[in-house]
Amino acid sequence: MRINIAFPVLDEELRLEKGIRKTLRFLDKHHIENCILTIVDNGSTDRTPKIAQALCREDSRVRCISLPEKGFGLAFQAAIQENDCDILGYMDVDLSTKLKHLLTVIKIFEKYPWVQIVKGNRLDSRSVIIGRKPLREMTSRGLDLLVRAAFGTKIRDTMCGFQFFRKEAVDILAGLSSTDKGWFYCAELLLRADRLHMPVKEIPVIWEDDYNTTVHVGSTVMNYLERIAFLRKDIRKMRY
């Protein structure tokens, strides 16, 4: 089973090298073979592209994709298009979600061949959340309630930056989904998966907030609201 971990990055010159090297050391320590790391740079204006290329030259397990336009959705769409591995997922390069959860992801996919998606759920009562500000916590829970009410889904925390898909599943979902540029794209993949009754396994995670994140809560919330309205209409039109 080959695994591809995508790291969408935007102006991450201070954290990119540390995050990739730490992940590579983790793979070596736990003898995880057939795993590649794909850095997807989408519109960085700092030294991120140069650092990414240097890491690619240094280790054959690291790949690079460079996009001229910003947007997490665009970055993951590019990762899907370029993916040739059995499992494709994404993580934040600051490693907010602890790397040890990769072991759980691998175990689930190996043990349960019918599971199509494995994702983190920071809202699980067993999850440990470190350093999160009250405003972000309230925003996350509010959006979670809105999404579940709007689509009648049991999937939680669709914004969690720790999600993994079997290749055949993510290819199908990408073909059905929009080309949304923002964070909601990955929520859309999950909501369409739920509509198709694809088995999704949610796991509790240890997650540490990063105060230097490039994610802007206000614009993310507005994008979510707009995309929720669009997706509700689109799903009504389509037959699954």
Side-chain angles (χ1 to χ4, degrees):
M1 184 174 69
R2 299 177 64 232
I3 303 169
N4 183 357
I5 307 174
F7 290 89
V9 293
L10 172 63
D11 294 335
E12 294 284 10
E13 64 179 9
L14 299 179
R15 296 180 292 194
L16 176 57
E17 184 174 359
K18 179 180 178 181
I20 296 299
R21 289 191 186 283
K22 186 173 181 179
T23 304
L24 290 171
R25 289 196 298 270
F26 179 87
L27 298 177
D28 291 338
K29 178 181 178 180
H30 293 278
H31 308 290
I32 301 174
E33 300 177 350
N34 296 322
C35 184
I36 66 169
L37 312 183
T38 301
I39 302 169
V40 189
D41 173 52
N42 54 320
S44 292
T45 57
D46 62 2
R47 295 180 57 252
T48 295
K50 292 183 178 179
I51 296 171
Q53 291 297 328
L55 289 166
C56 288
R57 290 192 297 269
E58 180 180 313
D59 196 306
S60 61
R61 293 173 292 179
V62 182
R63 298 178 180 178
C64 297
I65 300 174
S66 182
L67 304 174
E69 193 173 356
K70 298 178 181 179
F72 183 91
L74 289 176
F76 196 55
Q77 289 165 44
I80 294 171
Q81 292 170 4
E82 297 293 328
N83 177 56
D84 58 1
C85 293
D86 304 296
I87 304 296
L88 170 65
Y90 66 88
M91 294 181 62
D92 299 321
V93 77
D94 59 14
L95 305 181
S96 293
T97 307
K98 299 303 180 183
L99 283 166
K100 72 173 188 176
H101 298 303
L102 285 174
L103 301 176
T104 304
V105 170
I106 294 170
K107 182 178 180 180
I108 290 172
F109 278 128
E110 289 181 340
K111 188 174 181 179
Y112 305 105
W114 58 86
V115 172
Q116 298 299 305
I117 302 169
V118 180
K119 65 174 293 294
N121 179 2
R122 296 168 296 181
L123 304 180
D124 189 299
S125 60
R126 296 166 294 173
S127 291
V128 178
I129 308 302
I130 303 169
R132 183 165 237 198
K133 293 181 178 180
L135 176 60
R136 295 197 69 178
E137 180 68 14
M138 290 173 58
T139 300
S140 179
R141 290 187 178 274
L143 287 173
D144 181 66
L145 287 171
L146 180 59
V147 167
R148 286 192 290 144
F151 298 96
T153 181
K154 293 183 179 179
I155 297 176
R156 302 199 64 190
D157 196 12
T158 55
M159 291 181 71
C160 184
F162 187 80
Q163 300 184 17
F164 290 81
F165 304 75
R166 290 195 190 274
K167 185 181 189 304
E168 57 270 26
V170 78
D171 287 346
I172 290 171
L173 295 171
L176 294 171
S177 297
S178 68
T179 55
D180 180 67
K181 299 177 182 179
W183 278 92
F184 190 76
Y185 179 76
C186 291
E188 181 178 348
L189 294 179
L190 293 173
L191 292 168
R192 291 190 186 275
D194 188 51
R195 186 74 172 181
L196 292 171
H197 305 291
M198 287 185 179
V200 178
K201 177 65 175 177
E202 296 191 271
I203 61 173
V205 293
I206 300 173
W207 189 84
E208 186 170 0
D209 203 355
D210 177 17
Y211 294 141
N212 295 316
T213 179
T214 56
V215 177
H216 300 288
V217 174
S219 59
T220 299
V221 169
M222 290 304 298
N223 174 258
Y224 241 57
L225 295 176
E226 292 173 2
R227 300 309 298 174
I228 285 172
F230 166 82
L231 187 56
R232 274 173 58 86
K233 294 179 181 178
D234 191 57
I235 283 180
R236 287 198 194 104
K237 297 176 185 176
M238 299 186 69
R239 294 181 179 179
Y240 288 89

